[in-house]
Amino acid sequence: MQANPKSNFFAVDRAIRYVRIALACAVMFTVAVSSGLAVEVVVPARNHAAKRGVVNPAHGVWDGLVVVDSAGGMQQWDLDLKEAGKLFLHFEYASGAVRPVNLFINDKQQEGQFLKRNTGGFFARHLSWDTFGPFEFRQGKNAIRIEAIGDSPHLAGFVVSDGKKVPDKKAFAKLFSAKREVVKPPVVVAVDEDTAATRARLRELLPGVDGILFVRRLTMQSSHYYTDFIDGCLDYGGNLCVLSLKDGAVRDLAPSLAHGLFGRCCLSFDGKRVAFDWKEKLGVGFRIWEVGIDGQGLRQLTFPPDDEAARIKKYNLNYSVYRHHTDDLHPCYLPDGGLCFTSSRCEYGILCDGPDKLTTTLLYRMDGDGKNLELLSNNSVSESAPSITNDGRILYTRWEYIDNGSVTNKALWAMRPDGTGSEEVYGKNVAFPSVFYVGRAVPGCSERFVAIGAPHMPLGVGTLMLIDTRLDRRTGMPVTYLTPEVDVQHQSGWDHVPGGATKPLPPEEQGGRDGGGNTDRGPLYMDPYPLSLAQHLVAFNPTERWNVKNAWGLYLIDGDGPRRLLHKEAGTSCWNPIPVRASITPPIVRGTIEQDLAKRGLARLIVTDVYRGMDGVKRGTIKFLRVNEHVPRPWAARRFWAGDEFDQQHSAVSCNAALGLRIQHGIVPVEDDGSAHLLVQADKNIFFQALDKDYLEVQRERTFVNYRPGETRSCIGCHEQAQNAGNTVTSQPVVAALRREASLPGPQPGEKSGARPLSYAEDVQPVWDKHCVSCHGGEKTEGKLDLSGKLTQLFNRSYEEIMQRRLIPIIGENHPKAGNNHYLPPYSLGTHASKLHEFIKPEHYKVNLTPEERIRVTTWIESNGQYYGTYYGRKNLQYKDHPDFRPILTFEQAHANVSPIAEDKR
């Protein structure tokens, strides 16, 4: 999130005026001042007279500002005036995105929209003032109310006065003074501005190269690293350009598109063609285009779906910037002549986005002429920035949070160009930087990569890192900071570290880092292009704030020397530098596909030894694997009614636990030697739980694999590291599971089918009703525990009590947002680690659950506290008389990409 705070906000407070503000509790008060104004009333935003939505009057994460954690929030304040008159309203607020509100004075809506500026971020250091009016006020009590159209800006307060100028810009400094100051860089980065010398140096490093391809555009104003195409596109104009290394002249390749916005570009392996994404204006999506390096042959490769207008109308929630059209982004040439790119054509919403204005992009491929589009993955959150490795795989950034902190896990992954063989490259077990972005392979080094370490928000820029994947990927050891002057140690913003950064932060040091770093300005880096281990082309902003529109230029990092300026333009910024040359085409790699399995939508998995990596678990313990799926939230599950949002979930799934829905496919047996042989659904986000003889979880997989149709994969064991895993069957002696046919996931005892939703109300509450409520329900609540099924606003009584009393172990994917991605040994989660387990044993007052009932309860415990088995339906108790209130759905309906309920009945 992002903005434009003013430097004079941070001076010492003026005397007399606002000493009371820090401890003010009154809803309304008037302050007499010596400014000469007849009227001046100061109202901290936290002093509400009324509010609607999840309003936090002093949010600890966001520096004590007023934060509304739901869309359409309302806030009202009352004040007394001695006289009627025309007065101005001066609001101080922070907003890293455009978040307009409607303003009401004495219940009369004022014309226009208010508080709609992007101030550069959501923290106190991003606070800025806006003045509105004058408005008519009456003598006596007056009510000022704002109602958000979507999300709300973060408020400090407002001042009412009879002057147009803000009476005192430090009016609320006492409330936030400890949080505001932006630390200046402790390291001054030396810059050599001799562009002619830099061009000469590049010609030495790159013999025969005469030009550098780059993108000219104003800096995007993105609220998050992945939202360039959603809310970053505020300024248009630019081009795809080639810089001459001979004389510094610049040639535009697509002058007919200069009125639009260019995103990222890629050069073909023969050096003759450029693929790029381009957006003409607000209200339409990015599309993939191609042009010759000589400027000839401009053509469009992707087009909107035929029903684009209809889907915009269907899914639009009246956001001013993003209209839920589809976007095609980040093109990348493939060795087989096709192109890989990311796209929102999957029509999934980001799981931690209550208002549902942020959308997912996944990896696609197509032929070189734009035909035969194919989805390569099925992630629940975003994938971005593909490039090609030296061995022909697609390197990309993959965001996920299956039982992980929601803003942490954006690691580098790789897959073959057909989508098979996906595996982590680096970053899944690192807390900060939370994003490993725009990664590229180092030439001639098959196991070394560069990437930008970026924060979750705002723009995806940060520090340049060299990653050596031969070292232990669960630690920070593989990382060398090539630009130690800047680091990322918080979910928002950047950090200037005394002495320079050394290694990424492990999850054990995640505590307290859900807030912002200590700077929002350069030195900041983006778009690395490695020429060798020591030399890299980059986009670089030496000193300005991250979102200054013309702050970014092209530079050469040349060993440990100063940053060498290559090219900069006064009125804009420059990005994505690529030497214009032919390069070695990597090999064409594909997975081995079993066509009969592919036709059935299945893939084959062979686990050679489940105990490998499962330290401390006695052989013979593991009897089954439970097959689960992490389900994306489709646009079809979008709600057009209020009340179902909870803890940033657009449609409530859990209470402070999982943000995304999981469903069960069933269980398969594990042989005595620890091997398993099974078939799983292809193109699903599949993950496993290793179970003992009682169907209780011993170890959990906290990531997923998309198996392509007909793919065969093997893994060595449970929680092995990626560099130890194989994607084909090993040459070791045949394991026991391979001496039989592959297992299809089947039911646990008591289940009609292994494939079913996981629903607390259907699976668990009937057990409590039968065995427990006589002592823990109604008027009798032993141990002050109520296990009755009485419905609450979004869940039910027993579920909320279990969750609030922490009777089951959970990973709060939103609490904390940053972290929770450290490796956990066996028995850390699930029923064995739960307090509730003790109370469902016969020893607890002779509770006599059947084995089938016990499995229902323990399977739920191991779902990370999930309540609902679907995104669909109305869930707030206010809709209890609606025909779509908390529906009971089949397995197929619960996770379908189309609504199981007719649109006019939802």
Side-chain angles (χ1 to χ4, degrees):
M1 318 188 187
Q2 55 259 19
N4 259 324
K6 300 180 181 178
S7 58
N8 62 349
F9 282 3
F10 312 128
V12 178
D13 297 336
R14 271 190 266 176
I16 52 181
R17 293 209 189 173
Y18 307 117
V19 176
R20 301 178 194 173
I21 294 176
L23 300 175
C25 296
V27 167
M28 47 189 168
F29 60 95
T30 303
V31 180
V33 296
S34 58
S35 63
L37 296 172
V39 179
E40 184 177 348
V41 182
V42 179
V43 182
R46 61 185 61 173
N47 294 347
H48 297 101
K51 54 184 182 285
R52 181 183 70 238
V54 186
V55 180
N56 189 322
H59 202 296
V61 171
W62 304 107
D63 296 346
L65 295 170
V66 175
V67 174
V68 185
D69 285 325
S70 59
M74 180 275 285
Q75 302 174 67
Q76 179 173 313
W77 305 268
D78 293 345
L79 63 151
D80 275 330
L81 294 174
K82 294 181 179 179
E83 298 179 0
K86 288 189 173 184
L87 302 174
F88 292 89
L89 283 175
H90 314 277
F91 278 90
E92 189 180 27
Y93 65 99
S95 186
V98 177
R99 294 185 170 184
V101 303
N102 294 321
L103 173 66
F104 298 80
I105 297 177
N106 296 325
D107 294 326
K108 181 181 180 181
Q109 182 172 351
Q110 305 303 305
E111 185 176 349
Q113 296 179 343
F114 301 83
L115 311 187
K116 60 182 181 180
R117 255 192 325 117
N118 179 336
T119 70
F122 291 90
F123 294 92
R125 66 176 181 272
H126 302 118
L127 285 168
S128 190
W129 288 88
D130 264 355
T131 295
F132 308 100
F135 305 106
E136 291 285 352
F137 285 85
R138 62 195 179 201
Q139 184 180 11
K141 183 178 178 180
N142 289 261
I144 298 173
R145 184 171 83 250
I146 62 171
E147 295 184 359
I149 296 169
D151 283 348
S152 300
H154 296 181
L155 299 180
F158 65 91
V159 178
V160 184
S161 78
D162 57 356
K164 190 172 183 179
K165 186 178 179 181
V166 179
D168 184 359
K169 290 187 175 181
K170 301 164 196 152
F172 304 106
K174 279 284 186 181
L175 292 174
F176 313 107
S177 59
K179 300 284 186 179
R180 288 184 163 203
E181 187 168 1
V182 177
V183 177
K184 293 183 178 180
V187 177
V188 176
V189 178
V191 174
D192 183 343
E193 297 187 351
D194 188 342
T195 57
T198 304
R199 295 196 302 271
R201 173 61 175 157
L202 271 177
R203 295 181 75 184
E204 290 178 12
L205 294 171
L206 303 170
V209 174
D210 294 326
I212 301 295
L213 173 70
F214 71 96
V215 170
R216 175 196 297 138
R217 62 170 157 77
L218 296 165
T219 305
M220 289 186 174
Q221 305 295 299
S222 314
S223 61
H224 301 70
Y225 87 95
Y226 65 95
T227 62
D228 291 354
F229 70 104
I230 298 173
D231 55 15
C233 308
L234 302 183
D235 301 287
Y236 287 74
N239 220 302
L240 192 65
C241 308
V242 175
L243 169 72
S244 170
L245 293 182
K246 294 180 178 179
D247 57 12
V250 174
R251 175 168 53 90
D252 292 351
L253 298 184
S256 63
L257 304 182
H259 59 290
L261 182 61
F262 292 78
R264 300 187 60 76
C265 67
C266 180
L267 184 67
S268 63
F269 295 105
D270 61 9
K272 296 179 179 180
R273 293 164 293 132
V274 184
F276 60 97
D277 53 9
W278 180 80
K279 178 185 178 80
E280 184 173 16
K281 59 185 178 181
L282 285 176
V284 299
F286 278 95
R287 300 297 164 211
I288 308 299
W289 291 66
E290 185 180 61
V291 68
I293 196 67
D294 58 0
Q296 302 299 308
L298 178 67
R299 62 173 179 164
Q300 185 174 348
L301 296 179
T302 66
F303 298 85
D306 293 339
D307 61 346
E308 183 84 335
R311 70 179 66 200
I312 291 172
K313 182 178 180 181
K314 178 179 180 180
Y315 295 128
N316 177 32
L317 287 182
N318 296 316
Y319 292 110
S320 58
V321 175
Y322 188 69
R323 294 292 180 183
H324 290 92
H325 42 68
T326 58
D327 290 86
D328 303 322
L329 308 145
H330 301 180
C332 170
Y333 285 103
L334 297 173
D336 63 8
L339 286 127
C340 173
F341 62 102
T342 65
S343 179
S344 65
R345 291 172 187 261
C346 57
E347 296 191 350
Y348 296 156
I350 296 296
L351 298 177
C352 53
D353 174 32
D356 199 26
K357 64 181 180 180
L358 306 178
T359 193
T360 298
T361 54
L362 298 183
L363 286 181
Y364 285 71
R365 67 156 294 148
M366 62 182 175
D367 295 342
D369 57 3
K371 297 179 180 178
N372 297 317
L373 268 66
E374 180 183 4
L375 179 62
L376 297 180
S377 60
N378 195 45
N379 200 346
S380 301
V381 279
S382 282
E383 298 167 345
S384 50
S387 65
I388 299 301
T389 64
N390 298 325
D391 60 6
R393 295 180 299 161
I394 301 170
L395 181 73
Y396 62 104
T397 298
R398 170 170 132 170
W399 181 18
E400 59 175 309
Y401 43 81
I402 299 178
D403 302 340
N404 286 257
S406 61
V407 306
T408 297
N409 198 339
K410 278 89 68 172
L412 292 179
W413 281 68
M415 66 167 64
R416 300 188 190 104
D418 59 2
T420 63
S422 60
E423 67 170 5
E424 179 205 4
V425 172
Y426 183 75
K428 194 163 66 72
N429 295 115
V430 172
F432 293 101
S434 60
V435 185
F436 290 83
Y437 198 40
V438 291
R440 285 186 181 272
V442 176
C445 302
S446 61
E447 294 177 306
R448 278 176 277 192
F449 305 85
V450 295
I452 292 295
H456 183 62
M457 54 191 177
L459 191 69
V461 301
T463 191
L464 179 58
M465 302 174 131
L466 176 65
I467 301 163
D468 186 343
T469 60
R470 297 171 297 179
L471 304 176
D472 186 350
R473 300 185 202 185
R474 282 186 184 158
T475 71
M477 290 306 296
V479 170
T480 300
Y481 280 76
L482 298 179
T483 55
E485 58 270 17
V486 62
D487 197 6
V488 176
Q489 299 184 355
H490 296 81
Q491 72 151 319
S492 175
W494 302 268
D495 295 88
H496 291 139
V497 183
T502 54
K503 292 297 176 187
L505 293 180
E508 303 83 66
E509 298 180 24
Q510 70 190 31
R513 299 183 185 273
D514 277 1
N518 62 25
T519 188
D520 59 1
R521 61 184 62 243
L524 293 170
Y525 299 84
M526 182 53 173
D527 294 332
Y529 189 96
L531 308 178
S532 67
L533 288 171
Q535 284 87 23
H536 308 267
L537 291 172
V538 293
F540 180 45
N541 170 0
T543 59
E544 299 297 323
R545 293 192 68 249
W546 65 271
N547 62 344
V548 172
K549 297 176 182 179
N550 64 342
W552 295 78
L554 306 181
Y555 287 75
L556 170 65
I557 293 177
D558 194 1
D560 295 328
R563 308 293 180 253
R564 294 173 175 262
L565 176 61
L566 173 62
H567 181 69
K568 198 171 187 305
E569 300 184 12
T572 188
S573 288
C574 303
W575 311 85
N576 211 170
I578 300 173
V580 177
R581 59 178 173 177
S583 56
I584 297 173
T585 302
I588 298 173
V589 290
R590 297 187 177 97
T592 300
I593 301 299
E594 295 183 55
Q595 293 301 327
D596 60 330
L597 285 183
K599 291 176 182 178
R600 297 163 61 192
L602 298 173
R604 186 185 304 274
L605 175 64
I606 299 136
V607 180
T608 57
D609 183 3
V610 73
Y611 298 100
R612 183 81 173 267
M614 200 183 293
D615 296 339
V617 177
K618 185 179 178 181
R619 284 191 172 273
T621 300
I622 305 303
K623 299 299 183 183
F624 308 97
L625 293 179
R626 184 183 289 138
V627 183
N628 301 301
E629 177 188 347
H630 199 251
V631 181
R633 178 169 54 76
W635 287 2
R638 174 166 294 158
R639 56 178 174 80
F640 297 89
W641 56 89
D644 285 0
E645 180 182 344
F646 183 83
D647 195 34
Q648 291 190 250
Q649 302 162 53
H650 180 69
S651 178
V653 169
S654 78
C655 178
N656 298 322
L659 294 171
L661 177 72
R662 63 195 67 200
I663 57 176
Q664 177 182 288
H665 285 245
I667 61 168
V668 296
V670 174
E671 304 297 330
D672 291 341
D673 65 350
S675 64
H677 181 198
L678 62 150
L679 301 179
V680 297
Q681 292 290 318
D683 292 330
K684 305 292 184 183
N685 305 324
I686 299 295
F687 67 102
F688 300 97
Q689 292 164 304
L691 310 179
D692 64 18
K693 63 181 177 57
D694 296 316
Y695 302 89
L696 301 183
E697 174 190 304
V698 175
Q699 183 64 290
R700 182 182 306 180
E701 188 178 27
R702 294 161 62 208
T703 186
F704 68 88
V705 174
N706 282 136
Y707 300 90
R708 296 311 316 279
E711 179 181 5
T712 295
R713 290 183 63 142
S714 70
C715 63
I716 298 171
C718 187
H719 284 227
E720 83 250 353
Q721 295 194 59
Q723 62 262 51
N724 298 327
N727 290 321
T728 58
V729 181
T730 68
S731 59
Q732 297 175 349
V734 176
V735 297
L738 284 179
R739 299 192 185 106
R740 58 168 175 79
E741 291 296 315
S743 301
L744 282 167
Q748 300 176 119
E751 297 176 344
K752 293 180 180 180
S753 170
R756 65 181 187 86
L758 299 173
S759 167
Y760 179 91
E762 296 167 55
D763 296 344
V764 181
Q765 190 59 50
V767 179
W768 301 157
D769 292 343
K770 180 179 177 181
H771 296 280
C772 304
V773 295
S774 59
C775 293
H776 300 285
E779 295 182 1
K780 187 178 181 181
T781 53
E782 295 288 342
K784 297 182 180 180
L785 177 64
D786 187 349
L787 293 181
S788 67
K790 182 180 179 180
L791 299 184
T792 60
Q793 188 166 13
L794 281 173
F795 307 105
N796 78 6
R797 179 65 53 79
S798 65
Y799 173 79
E800 290 187 358
E801 295 231 350
I802 289 170
M803 299 298 285
Q804 290 167 4
R805 295 174 68 156
R806 298 183 180 275
L807 298 182
I808 66 170
I810 62 167
I811 293 289
E813 294 175 356
N814 221 23
H815 309 284
K817 293 173 177 291
N820 270 342
N821 62 324
H822 48 298
Y823 170 74
L824 292 174
Y827 299 108
S828 295
L829 298 170
T831 304
H832 282 295
S834 74
K835 298 177 182 177
L836 190 61
H837 190 205
E838 297 301 315
F839 301 113
I840 59 175
K841 294 179 178 179
E843 292 82 0
H844 180 68
Y845 295 97
K846 298 183 179 180
V847 171
N848 193 24
L849 274 63
T850 68
E852 293 78 11
E853 289 171 332
R854 185 172 288 107
I855 288 170
R856 285 267 170 162
V857 173
T858 59
T859 299
W860 168 74
I861 292 173
E862 292 158 6
S863 72
N864 198 25
Q866 181 169 299
Y867 185 84
Y868 290 103
T870 183
Y871 295 115
Y872 292 108
R874 299 202 179 203
K875 297 175 177 177
N876 196 294
L877 190 58
Q878 65 182 300
Y879 302 115
K880 61 182 176 63
D881 297 324
H882 193 279
D884 194 26
F885 178 66
R886 304 189 185 183
I888 298 175
L889 302 178
T890 66
F891 175 79
E892 290 75 16
Q893 290 173 325
H895 69 289
N897 285 343
V898 295
S899 173
I901 302 102
E903 290 295 328
D904 60 350
K905 296 180 180 179
R906 293 182 61 212

